[in-house]
Amino acid sequence: MGDSAVDRAEAPVAEVPGSGTERVALTPAAAELLVRLTEIHGPLMFHQSGGCCDGSAPMCYPDGDFTIGGQDVHLGDLVVEGLARPIGFWMSASQYGHWKHTHLTVDVVKGRGSGFSVEAPEGVRFLIRSRLFTDEEWARLKDSV
């Protein structure tokens, strides 16, 4: 076997079926953590900016604690079994300009997260895993949002 980028490619990330939209979804571990965090903080929301961590760390806030404005793009709502309402996912327009051609999967990993995101005290952090849209997906989505 060679040592090409294809040989080193990461395996696809498992997602919870029906957890999101064509643009953003959840891993089972992220969905499980969101249930626990909602029990503590109430309804939640995500926002991803182009700031720290090259924009790979979405911030999770109690719903409404982060003010959404005209420079934010709503990528969709994440549906989590056991929660009464979906969790909105927004991204800054400038970050969306760079990532609009990718499908995002919210995952959770061990480690120190941002002090502003609600998972920080849990010893874990949310992380975005991404893949490029297929040509067929991109043809469907390129004019949306």
Side-chain angles (χ1 to χ4, degrees), residues 118-138:
V118 296
E119 82 281 4
E122 307 297 317
V124 295
R125 63 186 173 92
F126 287 111
L127 178 77
I128 289 295
R129 311 251 184 214
S130 63
R131 66 168 175 81
L132 292 174
F133 287 126
T134 65
D135 291 341
E136 294 80 19
E137 289 171 324
W138 183 240

Side-chain angles (χ1 to χ4, degrees), residues 33-34 37 41 44-48 52 57-62 65-66 106-108 111-127:
L33 178 60
L34 287 166
L37 292 172
H41 301 282
L44 301 170
M45 64 179 287
F46 277 105
H47 186 270
Q48 180 139 0
C52 77
M59 299 291 110
C60 186
Y61 303 103
D65 275 14
F66 184 88
V106 180
D107 197 4
V108 63
R112 185 174 177 198
S114 166
F116 296 113
S117 196
V118 296
E119 82 281 4
E122 307 297 317
V124 295
R125 63 186 173 92
F126 287 111
L127 178 77

Side-chain angles (χ1 to χ4, degrees), residues 18-99:
S19 65
T21 67
E22 286 185 286
R23 292 199 177 273
V24 63
L26 294 166
T27 65
E32 182 181 313
L33 178 60
L34 287 166
V35 170
R36 288 196 330 260
L37 292 172
T38 298
E39 291 171 358
I40 297 167
H41 301 282
L44 301 170
M45 64 179 287
F46 277 105
H47 186 270
Q48 180 139 0
S49 70
C52 77
C53 309
D54 296 323
S56 63
M59 299 291 110
C60 186
Y61 303 103
D63 194 25
D65 275 14
F66 184 88
T67 303
I68 299 300
Q71 290 299 308
D72 295 304
V73 177
H74 182 235
L75 295 186
D77 294 313
L78 300 167
V79 176
V80 180
E81 186 175 332
L83 297 185
R85 57 187 260 205
I87 297 171
F89 192 103
W90 285 265
M91 179 179 281
S92 69
S94 61
Q95 184 77 352
Y96 177 74
H98 297 291
W99 285 29

